[in-house]
Amino acid sequence: MNEEPCKVLVVDDERDNADTTVTLLEIWGHEAEAAYSADDAIAKAKALDPDVVLVDLLMPGKDGFQL
C-alpha cells in the first residue's frame, strides 16, 4: 500500500459536504481542496493537478457527469 499523501479535489455544490470531506482528508494526511461547481472544479484542477477527484454527480448547471 502506498503511504504517500494524495492530492484530492472534492467537488460538491453542498458546501458543508465538501468542506467536511476536505477536513477529513486533511486529518488523514492528504492535501485536499474543495470546489463548489463544475467550472470552479476545472479551474482548481488545473492548479492543483489532483491525484483523485471526488465528484457530486447531481449539481445544478453542469453536473458531475458533464464535468
Side-chain angles (χ1 to χ4, degrees), residues 6-8 10 14 19-20 25-26 30 32-35 38 40-41 46-49 52-53 57-58 61 64-66:
C6 292
K7 292 188 287 185
V8 183
V10 179
E14 295 289 336
D19 294 342
T20 300
L25 289 164
E26 289 174 340
H30 301 288
E33 189 168 337
D40 188 27
K46 289 178 182 178
L48 181 63
D49 189 27
V52 177
V53 181
L57 297 178
L58 301 175
F65 294 104
Q66 292 169 314

Side-chain angles (χ1 to χ4, degrees), residues 8-65:
V8 183
L9 180 60
V10 179
V11 186
D12 196 329
D13 62 308
E14 295 289 336
R15 289 178 177 263
D16 288 342
N17 292 345
D19 294 342
T20 300
T21 303
V22 165
T23 299
L24 183 59
L25 289 164
E26 289 174 340
I27 288 169
W28 289 342
H30 301 288
E31 178 183 345
E33 189 168 337
Y36 307 112
S37 70
D39 292 332
D40 188 27
I42 292 168
K44 289 188 176 183
K46 289 178 182 178
L48 181 63
D49 189 27
D51 300 308
V52 177
V53 181
L54 302 176
V55 181
D56 176 12
L57 297 178
L58 301 175
M59 296 185 294
K62 252 187 229 170
D63 63 23
F65 294 104

